[in-house]
Amino acid sequence: MLDSFFNIDSGYLEGLCRGFRNGILRQADYLNLVQCETLDDLKLHLQSTDYGNFLANEPSPLQVSVIDDKLREKLVTEFQHMRNHAVDPLATFMDYITYGYMIDNIVLLITGALHQRPISELMPKCHPLGTFDQIEAINVANTSVELYNAVLVDTPLAEFFGECVSEQDLDELNIEIIRNTLYKAYLESFYNYCKGLGGTTADVMCPILAFEADRRAFIITVNSFGTELSKEDRAKLYPTCGRLYPDGLAALARADDPENVKQVAEFYTEYRALFEGAGNNPGEKTLEDRFFEYEVKLNVNAFMQQFHCGVFYSYLRLKEQECRNIVWIAECIAQKHRAKIDNYIPIL
Amino acid sequence: MEASIFRSEEMRLAQIFLSSEAAYTCVSELGEIGLVQFRDLNPDVNIFQRKFVNEVRRCDDMERILCYLEAQIKKMNIDVLNNGENPEAPQPREMIDLEATFEKLEGELREVNDNAERLDRNFLELTELKHVLESAQIFLDQESDASTSLSQNLIPAEDGRNEPAQLGSVAGVIPREKLAMFERMLWRVSRGNAFLRHQDIATELKDPATGVEIRKCVYLIFFQGEQLKLKVKKICEGCRSTLYPCPDSAAERADMLRGVMSRLADLTVILSQTTDHRERVLVAAAKFLRVWLIKVRKIKAIYHTLNLFNVDVTNKCLIAEGWIPADDKDVIRDALRKGTDKCGTSMQPILNIIETKAEAPTYHRTNKFTNGFQSLIEAYGVATYRELNPGLYTCATFPFLFGVMFGDLGHGFIMFLFALWMVLREKPLAPVMAKSEITNIIFGGRYIVLLMGMFSMYTGFIYNDVFSKSMNVFGSSWHVGPNATIEIIDNHVPEYMLDPADRTDYVGYPYPVGMDPIWQVAVNKISFLNSYKMKISIIIGVVHMMFGVLLSIINHLYFKRILNIFCEFIPQVVFLLAMFGWLVVLVFTKWIFYGAGPEFDTPHGSSCAPNVLITFINMMLMQDDDVKENCESNYMFEGQKQLQTALVLIALLCIPVLLIPKPLILKSQAAKRKLRPLVGVIVVQIQGQEGEQQEGEQQEG
């Protein structure tokens, strides 16, 4: 596909998206935010950024949860506005982005239902991008077969569900396995879709999704230590569209402790840098934060090229990181716990 | 003091000392006259660390309540009273009263709304129940007589089983768009063992939370067994449907329906009372809403301005800095005095003028006529301080150039009338026009439109165009002469050529003013008028450009930028005249010395007239075309070719003069300037070292 044809259908949306991106908070904004004494100060400062009056109708005193909700609401409105104007292939691309949230929502609801929490209480916690018609009826299902047959068969997730149909009752471990299997299938499908689109979209999206896949593989491995998950089962959960495939994944499958994981990462330049200096001690950044930082870098780079769908994915990811940052700062302010207030991840 | 439309106002940087008590009222007065541009004296302080941030926040909160009120008022379709009143900013102590009023109103309104929502919800439930009961009756009536109970087994018991299996049923209401999904899921989960009947509810129901009308439908599900009942109920909950009890027997259902109907009737009465109460509260609020909004915004603006000020160490006074027009010093002093009087302190504010080299802001004093033109200019760019203001000339040139393009007496007249109406009914129209952005733009430029209409009429008269028809006011100079024989006219020849050389066709002098109306019927109307108007446009355009360039010399002289005159102005003028000025000369020469008729000889006749455009292109390319037959040359006069070559060379020479010397000279000047402070530093250092190192220096020397 000639890149310049991209503008016929999606030029307006790309412009819009780049405009939104310019509203992302910069380092100077963060420096101002961390100086705030109260959440009302925070609100006052956010008013002078692109967020504008998004908190204007909230009476004082502010709650962190309100800020979180409003941040997310704004992001979702922006995303859905773009989705509603999109045409294929961008429309499918943007739908793919939402599937990830669907998986998270399903897992959230099933876990909640296992703990006897009513659906109506759980629904507000679901990400609005990942809702679908049948989602509230999810507690009809007791086994994964029922889940598939009753709820998911009509949703776009049905095609990812093939591997995890079993008659076993849904329990905690089972749900995690379902989540990771779904995610694996989803990532691989998304990766192939981007690859199929070709051109700049593939150039930009494939590295991002490959990193996403590798990150999941690392995290699954690290989290599986000390649980009943067998090594064979674990190996089945690794998404195979990353740079670790196939040698790294095979090595990860054999890993017994975090040290082994680090050794695997040694073989890959980008990942070695992430593992070096990561830790839980004060002054060190956690591995999770290192991954986030790397993801931010990849996503910022996505804006360096034009005429591709990747900017929409990257914008959403960057904005989510920004929401996490603001909420983190707000939490630190609200709990008067200023020592760690600088642990946000700057974007621009 | 030359405060006029020619240049922007002279500005002075003023420092104002305000006592902390009087600061609020003084800023309020200054805000009303709008003549001071305050400078931010605390640029390094965050917004939330400034002195009056709490007051700003209180204003924000009040604004929030007012916005809520406004939204509620709009929802009820109540008009907000707008009598054009412009209240002054209230005293700071009145802020508490305002806050109290707003909070009380908000509380009252929220309570009423909560009540109304509860009642609405109740009403919705009862209405749905009513529909469920009615529909259940219909569903079951179709099956059998009224005595049939819901749970009666429809399938005859199989042999060998004594007790007939009981059928369970569930009734409820679901949004219509979810029905298909609901039905499919039910079928999947029950594996086809649940039987669903549904019926649309004809009326639209109101969602109590959002007030949106939604369409719903009633359903009744029959199934067998406890297990299935559990699942069906879960699905019903999951699909946001509401379940309602539906008694088995028809008699009970009829009983329940009666109860529901009477409760509905009661509820309707209460609901209407609640709505009335709500409306009363909102109508009362709508009367003041606008005034309140203005007041709150004024307070907020005052505190924002106060946040720009420096606080004195003793905390007794605020120091403000701002640009003021030099002519308005007294007006500002008056306003300050008024502000102090209002708050009743004895300490008079002090206004000092500071001498400064800082770049002052541009301020053009405008009136309602020039205002539109000035904003038109500022859409392109704002002149720097004390630069020549193009606004004055625009008042004439802009409407005139519009007229050249829109020349039509009739259309121009309509435009003129429309603008005249706006100008004459200025006062009553202003609030109406301000409502929409588009009308506001037109209304803001009403004087521009008026002039545009007048100039269109003028050029329309010159073009002799009235709604694209011509007027024959002075009598055309062209007639169909005796040459037109009877045959030509009778044979309906489509064209008849009028010969300008023939005095029976053409009277010998042109139509006195504007275009001859004969062109209206001419076949070559378009080609003639296009060529004519193109030439006119070139002449006007070149004159316009020339005028613009000439204006720049006034700026250069005023700011004493001699370099700009020699390296910018003069080469620009020469270039423009050598190329396009020459083009204009060619046009006039052709008009004057060429023509048809007995007074022109063959070389100056119509067949030998050179094409100005081709001549100009050839001049640029420095080439010659072949001379036409019977003509003397391609040129209008002797030596034209040499002159043209010289002009092109001069114009080309101007380009390097325009581009090269100025940056070089500026660079060398900047380099000199850089040297000078360095020299200063060295001198200071030497002076400082003199005492201590005198000996050493002497030795070195």
Side-chain angles (χ1 to χ4, degrees), chain B residues 169-186:
Chain B
S169 74
V170 167
V173 174
I174 191 170
R176 222 178 273 181
E177 72 271 13
K178 290 217 168 188
L179 185 73
M181 190 267 291
F182 176 64
E183 206 172 342
R184 201 175 322 143
M185 190 179 263
L186 196 69

PDB file of all heavy atoms in Angstrom, chain B residues 169-186:
ATOM      1  N   SER B 169     -41.916 -19.976  35.840  1.00  0.00           N
ATOM      2  CA  SER B 169     -41.967 -18.847  34.905  1.00  0.00           C
ATOM      3  C   SER B 169     -41.334 -17.617  35.543  1.00  0.00           C
ATOM      4  O   SER B 169     -41.323 -17.461  36.756  1.00  0.00           O
ATOM      5  CB  SER B 169     -43.411 -18.538  34.522  1.00  0.00           C
ATOM      6  OG  SER B 169     -44.049 -17.903  35.588  1.00  0.00           O
ATOM      7  N   VAL B 170     -40.793 -16.807  34.692  1.00  0.00           N
ATOM      8  CA  VAL B 170     -40.196 -15.548  35.142  1.00  0.00           C
ATOM      9  C   VAL B 170     -40.685 -14.468  34.198  1.00  0.00           C
ATOM     10  O   VAL B 170     -40.735 -14.661  32.991  1.00  0.00           O
ATOM     11  CB  VAL B 170     -38.653 -15.630  35.078  1.00  0.00           C
ATOM     12  CG1 VAL B 170     -38.059 -14.252  35.221  1.00  0.00           C
ATOM     13  CG2 VAL B 170     -38.105 -16.539  36.140  1.00  0.00           C
ATOM     14  N   ALA B 171     -41.078 -13.305  34.770  1.00  0.00           N
ATOM     15  CA  ALA B 171     -41.532 -12.206  33.914  1.00  0.00           C
ATOM     16  C   ALA B 171     -40.665 -10.990  34.181  1.00  0.00           C
ATOM     17  O   ALA B 171     -40.180 -10.802  35.299  1.00  0.00           O
ATOM     18  CB  ALA B 171     -42.987 -11.875  34.213  1.00  0.00           C
ATOM     19  N   GLY B 172     -40.467 -10.207  33.169  1.00  0.00           N
ATOM     20  CA  GLY B 172     -39.638  -9.023  33.365  1.00  0.00           C
ATOM     21  C   GLY B 172     -39.700  -8.084  32.182  1.00  0.00           C
ATOM     22  O   GLY B 172     -40.449  -8.303  31.232  1.00  0.00           O
ATOM     23  N   VAL B 173     -38.890  -7.058  32.255  1.00  0.00           N
ATOM     24  CA  VAL B 173     -38.853  -6.036  31.208  1.00  0.00           C
ATOM     25  C   VAL B 173     -37.392  -5.828  30.806  1.00  0.00           C
ATOM     26  O   VAL B 173     -36.513  -5.832  31.663  1.00  0.00           O
ATOM     27  CB  VAL B 173     -39.445  -4.712  31.746  1.00  0.00           C
ATOM     28  CG1 VAL B 173     -39.278  -3.610  30.730  1.00  0.00           C
ATOM     29  CG2 VAL B 173     -40.893  -4.894  32.100  1.00  0.00           C
ATOM     30  N   ILE B 174     -37.180  -5.695  29.528  1.00  0.00           N
ATOM     31  CA  ILE B 174     -35.802  -5.555  29.048  1.00  0.00           C
ATOM     32  C   ILE B 174     -35.749  -4.491  27.955  1.00  0.00           C
ATOM     33  O   ILE B 174     -36.729  -4.337  27.198  1.00  0.00           O
ATOM     34  CB  ILE B 174     -35.299  -6.930  28.522  1.00  0.00           C
ATOM     35  CG1 ILE B 174     -33.794  -6.872  28.267  1.00  0.00           C
ATOM     36  CG2 ILE B 174     -36.033  -7.359  27.277  1.00  0.00           C
ATOM     37  CD1 ILE B 174     -33.208  -8.229  27.982  1.00  0.00           C
ATOM     38  N   PRO B 175     -34.656  -3.706  27.863  1.00  0.00           N
ATOM     39  CA  PRO B 175     -34.534  -2.766  26.743  1.00  0.00           C
ATOM     40  C   PRO B 175     -34.621  -3.508  25.406  1.00  0.00           C
ATOM     41  O   PRO B 175     -34.074  -4.590  25.261  1.00  0.00           O
ATOM     42  CB  PRO B 175     -33.144  -2.156  26.925  1.00  0.00           C
ATOM     43  CG  PRO B 175     -32.827  -2.335  28.355  1.00  0.00           C
ATOM     44  CD  PRO B 175     -33.532  -3.563  28.799  1.00  0.00           C
ATOM     45  N   ARG B 176     -35.283  -2.903  24.459  1.00  0.00           N
ATOM     46  CA  ARG B 176     -35.615  -3.623  23.236  1.00  0.00           C
ATOM     47  C   ARG B 176     -34.376  -4.078  22.461  1.00  0.00           C
ATOM     48  O   ARG B 176     -34.355  -5.149  21.886  1.00  0.00           O
ATOM     49  CB  ARG B 176     -36.477  -2.728  22.341  1.00  0.00           C
ATOM     50  CG  ARG B 176     -37.615  -3.492  21.708  1.00  0.00           C
ATOM     51  CD  ARG B 176     -38.466  -2.570  20.873  1.00  0.00           C
ATOM     52  NE  ARG B 176     -39.503  -1.934  21.667  1.00  0.00           N
ATOM     53  CZ  ARG B 176     -40.387  -1.090  21.136  1.00  0.00           C
ATOM     54  NH1 ARG B 176     -40.336  -0.803  19.865  1.00  0.00           N
ATOM     55  NH2 ARG B 176     -41.299  -0.542  21.883  1.00  0.00           N
ATOM     56  N   GLU B 177     -33.317  -3.226  22.476  1.00  0.00           N
ATOM     57  CA  GLU B 177     -32.156  -3.576  21.658  1.00  0.00           C
ATOM     58  C   GLU B 177     -31.401  -4.776  22.223  1.00  0.00           C
ATOM     59  O   GLU B 177     -30.617  -5.406  21.537  1.00  0.00           O
ATOM     60  CB  GLU B 177     -31.223  -2.374  21.489  1.00  0.00           C
ATOM     61  CG  GLU B 177     -30.443  -1.966  22.712  1.00  0.00           C
ATOM     62  CD  GLU B 177     -31.173  -0.958  23.587  1.00  0.00           C
ATOM     63  OE1 GLU B 177     -32.385  -0.763  23.357  1.00  0.00           O
ATOM     64  OE2 GLU B 177     -30.551  -0.395  24.506  1.00  0.00           O
ATOM     65  N   LYS B 178     -31.672  -5.093  23.499  1.00  0.00           N
ATOM     66  CA  LYS B 178     -30.941  -6.214  24.093  1.00  0.00           C
ATOM     67  C   LYS B 178     -31.689  -7.531  23.905  1.00  0.00           C
ATOM     68  O   LYS B 178     -31.162  -8.590  24.271  1.00  0.00           O
ATOM     69  CB  LYS B 178     -30.758  -5.954  25.590  1.00  0.00           C
ATOM     70  CG  LYS B 178     -29.795  -4.841  25.880  1.00  0.00           C
ATOM     71  CD  LYS B 178     -28.986  -5.147  27.104  1.00  0.00           C
ATOM     72  CE  LYS B 178     -27.838  -4.173  27.215  1.00  0.00           C
ATOM     73  NZ  LYS B 178     -26.914  -4.526  28.257  1.00  0.00           N
ATOM     74  N   LEU B 179     -32.906  -7.448  23.396  1.00  0.00           N
ATOM     75  CA  LEU B 179     -33.755  -8.640  23.376  1.00  0.00           C
ATOM     76  C   LEU B 179     -33.142  -9.773  22.560  1.00  0.00           C
ATOM     77  O   LEU B 179     -33.110 -10.924  23.012  1.00  0.00           O
ATOM     78  CB  LEU B 179     -35.128  -8.270  22.825  1.00  0.00           C
ATOM     79  CG  LEU B 179     -36.129  -9.422  22.887  1.00  0.00           C
ATOM     80  CD1 LEU B 179     -36.555  -9.648  24.319  1.00  0.00           C
ATOM     81  CD2 LEU B 179     -37.320  -9.162  22.011  1.00  0.00           C
ATOM     82  N   ALA B 180     -32.614  -9.430  21.373  1.00  0.00           N
ATOM     83  CA  ALA B 180     -32.098 -10.480  20.495  1.00  0.00           C
ATOM     84  C   ALA B 180     -30.958 -11.220  21.168  1.00  0.00           C
ATOM     85  O   ALA B 180     -30.914 -12.455  21.207  1.00  0.00           O
ATOM     86  CB  ALA B 180     -31.636  -9.872  19.179  1.00  0.00           C
ATOM     87  N   MET B 181     -30.043 -10.434  21.743  1.00  0.00           N
ATOM     88  CA  MET B 181     -28.899 -11.025  22.436  1.00  0.00           C
ATOM     89  C   MET B 181     -29.371 -11.875  23.601  1.00  0.00           C
ATOM     90  O   MET B 181     -28.881 -12.988  23.828  1.00  0.00           O
ATOM     91  CB  MET B 181     -28.016  -9.873  22.889  1.00  0.00           C
ATOM     92  CG  MET B 181     -26.670 -10.240  23.417  1.00  0.00           C
ATOM     93  SD  MET B 181     -26.682 -10.428  25.174  1.00  0.00           S
ATOM     94  CE  MET B 181     -26.933  -8.750  25.702  1.00  0.00           C
ATOM     95  N   PHE B 182     -30.343 -11.354  24.319  1.00  0.00           N
ATOM     96  CA  PHE B 182     -30.896 -12.037  25.492  1.00  0.00           C
ATOM     97  C   PHE B 182     -31.502 -13.392  25.094  1.00  0.00           C
ATOM     98  O   PHE B 182     -31.244 -14.426  25.696  1.00  0.00           O
ATOM     99  CB  PHE B 182     -31.960 -11.113  26.098  1.00  0.00           C
ATOM    100  CG  PHE B 182     -32.700 -11.677  27.263  1.00  0.00           C
ATOM    101  CD1 PHE B 182     -32.045 -11.983  28.443  1.00  0.00           C
ATOM    102  CD2 PHE B 182     -34.075 -11.889  27.183  1.00  0.00           C
ATOM    103  CE1 PHE B 182     -32.740 -12.490  29.523  1.00  0.00           C
ATOM    104  CE2 PHE B 182     -34.763 -12.399  28.256  1.00  0.00           C
ATOM    105  CZ  PHE B 182     -34.099 -12.702  29.432  1.00  0.00           C
ATOM    106  N   GLU B 183     -32.276 -13.342  24.050  1.00  0.00           N
ATOM    107  CA  GLU B 183     -32.965 -14.553  23.609  1.00  0.00           C
ATOM    108  C   GLU B 183     -31.948 -15.612  23.184  1.00  0.00           C
ATOM    109  O   GLU B 183     -32.077 -16.795  23.536  1.00  0.00           O
ATOM    110  CB  GLU B 183     -33.868 -14.197  22.430  1.00  0.00           C
ATOM    111  CG  GLU B 183     -35.044 -15.134  22.288  1.00  0.00           C
ATOM    112  CD  GLU B 183     -36.016 -14.635  21.239  1.00  0.00           C
ATOM    113  OE1 GLU B 183     -35.967 -13.442  20.886  1.00  0.00           O
ATOM    114  OE2 GLU B 183     -36.820 -15.446  20.763  1.00  0.00           O
ATOM    115  N   ARG B 184     -30.934 -15.181  22.452  1.00  0.00           N
ATOM    116  CA  ARG B 184     -29.940 -16.120  21.965  1.00  0.00           C
ATOM    117  C   ARG B 184     -29.183 -16.761  23.126  1.00  0.00           C
ATOM    118  O   ARG B 184     -28.973 -17.969  23.180  1.00  0.00           O
ATOM    119  CB  ARG B 184     -28.959 -15.383  21.042  1.00  0.00           C
ATOM    120  CG  ARG B 184     -28.238 -16.335  20.135  1.00  0.00           C
ATOM    121  CD  ARG B 184     -27.356 -15.609  19.147  1.00  0.00           C
ATOM    122  NE  ARG B 184     -27.955 -14.377  18.652  1.00  0.00           N
ATOM    123  CZ  ARG B 184     -27.263 -13.287  18.401  1.00  0.00           C
ATOM    124  NH1 ARG B 184     -25.969 -13.258  18.636  1.00  0.00           N
ATOM    125  NH2 ARG B 184     -27.841 -12.210  17.935  1.00  0.00           N
ATOM    126  N   MET B 185     -28.824 -15.913  24.090  1.00  0.00           N
ATOM    127  CA  MET B 185     -28.065 -16.433  25.224  1.00  0.00           C
ATOM    128  C   MET B 185     -28.914 -17.401  26.029  1.00  0.00           C
ATOM    129  O   MET B 185     -28.440 -18.448  26.480  1.00  0.00           O
ATOM    130  CB  MET B 185     -27.632 -15.263  26.089  1.00  0.00           C
ATOM    131  CG  MET B 185     -26.641 -15.657  27.144  1.00  0.00           C
ATOM    132  SD  MET B 185     -26.176 -14.234  28.059  1.00  0.00           S
ATOM    133  CE  MET B 185     -24.707 -13.804  27.273  1.00  0.00           C
ATOM    134  N   LEU B 186     -30.171 -17.059  26.173  1.00  0.00           N
ATOM    135  CA  LEU B 186     -31.100 -17.928  26.907  1.00  0.00           C
ATOM    136  C   LEU B 186     -31.169 -19.286  26.229  1.00  0.00           C
ATOM    137  O   LEU B 186     -31.125 -20.344  26.869  1.00  0.00           O
ATOM    138  CB  LEU B 186     -32.473 -17.261  26.906  1.00  0.00           C
ATOM    139  CG  LEU B 186     -33.483 -17.791  27.905  1.00  0.00           C
ATOM    140  CD1 LEU B 186     -33.045 -17.411  29.298  1.00  0.00           C
ATOM    141  CD2 LEU B 186     -34.849 -17.216  27.608  1.00  0.00           C
TER     142      LEU B 186
END
